[in-house]
Amino acid sequence: EAQVTQNPRYLITVTGKKLTVTCSQNMNHEYMSWYRQDPGLGLRQIYYSMNVEVTDKGDVPEGYKVSRKEKRNFPLILESPSPNQTSLYFCASSPAIVSNQPQHFGDGTRLSIL
Amino acid sequence: AQSVTQLGSHVSVSEGALVLLRCNYSSSVPPYLFWYVQYPNQGLQLLLKYTSAATLVKGINGFEAEFKKSETSFHLTKPSAHMSDAAEYFCAVSSMNRDDKIIFGKGTRLHILP
């Protein structure tokens, strides 16, 4: 089954404790992206990657890091999480950067930073 | 630059009534337009997309949307609402320009009244 898998689905942690949210897709997609979803703000893009070893900032990259060492994986790293990063996070992938291709989304990771 | 506006953060309709969710876009080039649905505790799923073919686009679950260039609109409709349609709906815009990333609206939560 074609899917985007995120882990963990839920995480409660404390300020300053480094964490990684993993994302993996099994569709051989070139393009992957991370979003955060906050009430009243919709989806905002954090980082995206057009292919292996190619990443770029989205609209709200501060406080986040990503890497793309393999085509299927695109982890999101919070080196020193803060309470304002409490949010619902989604990973998405699509066949290419070509913009008429829909994105496939994971089920989300709800992060709470205390 | 592109933008998308969804009118109404919450919409309530009675079961069996017409569903109309409004989306207006701004784009300096021909747009690609998408509607996504998000059910509770899930990621976004593609409902339908417009990529410059037919202006009336049919999607899954009985939804359709009509691209109206003169009104810069891409409203989502369904003739008869079902309880299972209760979800959050996102309109999104992109284009053939490589520099134009997909932009999501802030979302409309659809409530179905029994």
Side-chain angles (χ1 to χ4, degrees):
Chain A
E1 181 188 351
Q3 59 186 2
V4 177
T5 303
Q6 296 177 226
N7 279 297
R9 291 291 313 278
Y10 304 91
L11 179 63
I12 301 174
T13 188
V14 295
T15 298
K17 185 176 181 182
K18 179 179 178 180
L19 68 90
T20 299
V21 184
T22 64
C23 174
S24 180
Q25 50 94 5
N26 63 359
M27 295 167 280
N28 202 37
H29 285 170
E30 289 183 355
Y31 183 80
M32 297 185 74
S33 181
W34 276 104
Y35 297 89
R36 60 179 289 174
Q37 183 180 13
D38 300 290
L41 297 178
L43 285 165
R44 294 180 292 169
Q45 191 178 51
I46 303 170
Y47 268 94
Y48 64 96
S49 169
M50 292 192 285
N51 215 324
V52 175
E53 302 292 1
V54 180
T55 63
D56 210 344
K57 296 177 181 179
D59 299 316
V60 288
E62 293 77 20
Y64 304 95
K65 284 175 55 176
V66 293
S67 69
R68 187 91 182 273
K69 294 184 171 59
E70 306 162 283
K71 199 171 188 178
R72 62 183 292 128
N73 295 324
F74 190 45
L76 179 69
I77 302 156
L78 284 71
E79 294 270 4
S80 182
S82 62
N84 65 10
Q85 294 177 298
T86 292
S87 187
L88 179 59
Y89 292 85
F90 288 101
C91 181
S93 73
S94 63
I97 188 66
V98 176
S99 299
N100 64 352
Q101 299 292 325
Q103 296 194 39
H104 298 254
F105 284 81
D107 284 335
T109 296
R110 187 169 291 282
L111 284 184
S112 294
I113 315 295
L114 304 178
Chain B
Q2 297 183 302
S3 67
V4 61
T5 302
Q6 292 183 239
L7 297 175
S9 57
H10 292 265
V11 170
S12 296
V13 302
S14 298
E15 190 174 17
L18 171 71
V19 175
L20 171 61
L21 303 182
R22 299 177 188 274
C23 172
N24 288 90
Y25 70 91
S26 172
S27 178
S28 58
V29 297
Y32 301 134
L33 294 157
F34 306 82
W35 274 101
Y36 288 84
V37 60
Q38 183 183 26
Y39 298 106
N41 297 316
Q42 294 185 27
L44 280 69
Q45 304 171 33
L46 182 70
L47 264 182
L48 50 81
K49 68 176 183 178
Y50 167 77
T51 56
S52 76
T55 56
L56 182 61
V57 182
K58 294 189 184 300
I60 62 171
N61 300 339
F63 284 93
E64 62 182 36
E66 186 171 9
F67 172 69
K68 291 188 177 180
K69 183 177 178 181
S70 61
E71 299 177 8
T72 61
S73 69
F74 190 57
H75 302 331
L76 182 71
T77 60
K78 181 173 180 177
S80 177
H82 191 272
M83 295 301 289
S84 61
D85 295 326
E88 189 152 21
Y89 292 79
F90 291 90
C91 183
V93 63
S94 68
S95 81
M96 66 180 70
N97 288 345
R98 286 184 66 87
D99 291 335
D100 283 339
K101 296 178 294 183
I102 187 167
I103 305 295
F104 287 88
K106 290 185 166 53
T108 297
R109 185 166 295 278
L110 177 63
H111 304 271
I112 310 296
L113 307 173

